[in-house]
Amino acid sequence: MVQLPPVIAGTSSLGNLYTALPPEKKKQIVAAYLETAGRPAVFDCAGKYGAGLALEALGRCLKELGVPPEEVMISNKLGWVRTPLESAEPVFEPGIWKDLRHDARQQIGYDEIMECFEQGNELLGDYNAGMVSIHDPDEYLFAAGSEEDAEVRYTNILDGYRALTDLKQQGLVDSIGIGSKDWKTIQRISGDIMLDWVMFANSLTIYSHPTALMNFVNELSANGVTVINSAVFHGGFLTGGDYFNYRRVSRDIEAHRDLFVWRDRFYTICREFGINPASAAIRFALDIPGVHSIALSSSSPARTRENLLMTDAVIPQEFWQEMKVRGLLSENVSNSIDQ
């Protein structure tokens, strides 16, 4: 089983997610994680984050902070390669990445994943990714135009994992995983590939925690697979942001209103108990049976420190019970959370 600290550092903000950050502030964010979490430090990154900008920024920050390569572990989720920017803004995920100078293209297959791996290490500079995975295989599959296309795409995913297996056998990486928003895609792939770790995004949170997924997490852990829980704020929405799962939402749009109703009721209970909503979301995500680590990202050095310290927050059992009573928390939640 891959040994990880309770919190690994997400790096989407280094890729200018939602807002463009100056280089010095990015370095302060990385420093805040290093100072609060200690060593060895673990960073989760991806070629998709800012079309490789996050990888570049992370490598530069670590070097400027004088962090020896042996004191850091980097996860690079592969499947997106940097390409030239040929339009006013990137087309790979419009509207959420700011001030980018490159675009990105999703590509999955043996040679394609090898290219992503090599490009990622080039962007990291003096550092290399020891944890590798295929990023967003769910999006890749969902983009299929037919059943035949879907089968070809799934074969490409398996070929991509063949590339990762070769990298591991050659000693170029330490572990192989997967990062996906759709947990059923993880379930399917884990039936065909021996994974060392999995990362669930936007799917296992205080807002969303289906019974079948929680059972699957327990199963993975029992089989020696390290489980990482990420995007536990649903892209910042649970902490007051205007994006839910990286898509802008509004109270004025009928289809979005239930989200705001849930958040308002959640905030009300938090105020009644004097609990920071972020603390509740973090403790819930980390305390799910079978979860080993959570990935947290912030665009603020101060918030980075606060998020790490919130992992030690004590949430009273009465809070979880009240969440259940008011229908905000499922009855399937394990006693290990609400004790």
Side-chain angles (χ1 to χ4, degrees):
M1 182 172 285
V2 181
Q3 299 300 314
L4 298 174
V7 178
I8 65 178
T11 58
S12 55
S13 64
L14 303 185
N16 290 355
L17 179 68
Y18 304 147
T19 185
L21 299 178
E24 186 60 29
K25 189 168 186 179
K26 292 180 182 182
K27 185 164 70 171
Q28 292 169 2
I29 291 169
V30 173
Y33 174 79
L34 291 167
E35 293 164 2
T36 311
R39 313 286 174 92
V42 183
F43 292 87
D44 174 63
C45 205
K48 186 181 185 181
Y49 296 165
L53 176 61
L55 288 162
E56 274 185 321
L58 176 60
R60 182 180 64 251
C61 291
L62 290 171
K63 183 174 182 179
E64 291 178 0
L65 291 167
V67 180
E70 63 271 16
E71 291 187 10
V72 64
M73 173 67 75
I74 297 173
S75 162
N76 189 9
K77 302 191 293 288
L78 310 171
W80 293 83
V81 65
R82 171 181 280 187
T83 61
L85 181 63
E86 299 176 344
S87 53
E89 70 166 330
V91 299
F92 74 99
E93 213 168 30
I96 68 170
W97 304 100
K98 306 303 181 182
D99 292 352
L100 299 189
R101 298 180 180 179
H102 301 87
D103 213 326
R105 179 185 70 249
Q106 189 175 40
Q107 58 174 46
I108 297 177
Y110 187 96
D111 293 337
E112 290 82 356
I113 290 299
M114 284 295 193
E115 181 184 4
C116 291
F117 175 71
E118 292 167 0
Q119 185 184 84
N121 282 347
E122 289 175 2
L123 293 173
L124 285 168
D126 293 345
Y127 302 84
N128 294 315
M131 299 171 62
V132 292
S133 62
I134 291 183
H135 196 193
D136 297 332
D138 48 345
E139 294 181 12
Y140 183 70
L141 289 172
F142 295 160
S146 65
E147 291 185 9
E148 292 78 9
D149 185 23
E151 288 304 312
V152 170
R153 286 170 178 259
Y154 192 69
T155 298
N156 290 343
I157 290 171
L158 297 182
D159 285 343
Y161 274 104
R162 193 161 52 84
L164 298 188
T165 299
D166 285 351
L167 290 173
K168 184 178 178 183
Q169 290 177 344
Q170 295 166 20
L172 297 176
V173 301
D174 301 312
S175 63
I176 296 170
I178 185 172
S180 175
K181 300 179 183 70
D182 179 67
W183 70 268
K184 291 185 178 179
T185 299
I186 294 178
Q187 189 175 47
R188 179 185 181 186
I189 292 173
S190 68
D192 292 321
I193 301 295
M194 292 289 293
L195 299 170
D196 299 307
W197 56 272
V198 302
M199 176 179 284
F200 295 97
N202 296 328
S203 54
L204 189 55
T205 70
I206 197 170
Y207 173 79
S208 175
H209 41 274
T211 301
L213 174 53
M214 296 184 77
N215 291 339
F216 179 47
V217 167
N218 262 318
E219 177 186 328
L220 286 169
S221 182
N223 290 331
V225 179
T226 298
V227 177
I228 304 166
N229 200 357
S230 72
V232 302
F233 301 140
H234 284 282
F237 181 77
L238 296 187
T239 54
D242 295 326
Y243 289 82
F244 180 85
N245 293 354
Y246 310 109
R247 295 181 181 179
R248 183 175 285 277
V249 290
S250 170
R251 290 183 184 272
D252 298 328
I253 298 176
E254 180 67 30
H256 299 164
R257 287 178 186 168
D258 285 348
L259 291 172
F260 287 91
V261 169
W262 191 97
R263 188 173 72 179
D264 290 345
R265 295 172 65 199
F266 172 51
Y267 282 8
T268 295
I269 299 175
C270 287
R271 284 194 298 271
E272 291 173 3
F273 283 84
I275 291 171
N276 187 319
S279 293
I282 288 171
R283 286 304 323 175
F284 182 91
L286 186 57
D287 288 345
I288 293 171
V291 170
H292 301 89
S293 298
I294 59 174
L296 296 175
S297 181
S298 175
S299 59
S300 160
R303 179 63 64 83
T304 296
R305 294 187 184 90
E306 291 170 5
N307 285 346
L308 284 159
L309 295 175
M310 284 178 191
T311 60
D312 294 325
V314 177
I315 309 295
Q317 179 182 0
E318 292 76 13
F319 173 82
W320 303 122
Q321 293 296 342
E322 191 62 25
M323 288 281 289
K324 290 182 179 181
V325 167
R326 300 193 197 181
L328 300 187
L329 201 63
S330 300
E331 291 294 334
N332 66 348
V333 170
S334 167
N335 288 337
S336 66
I337 291 175
D338 59 11
Q339 282 184 350

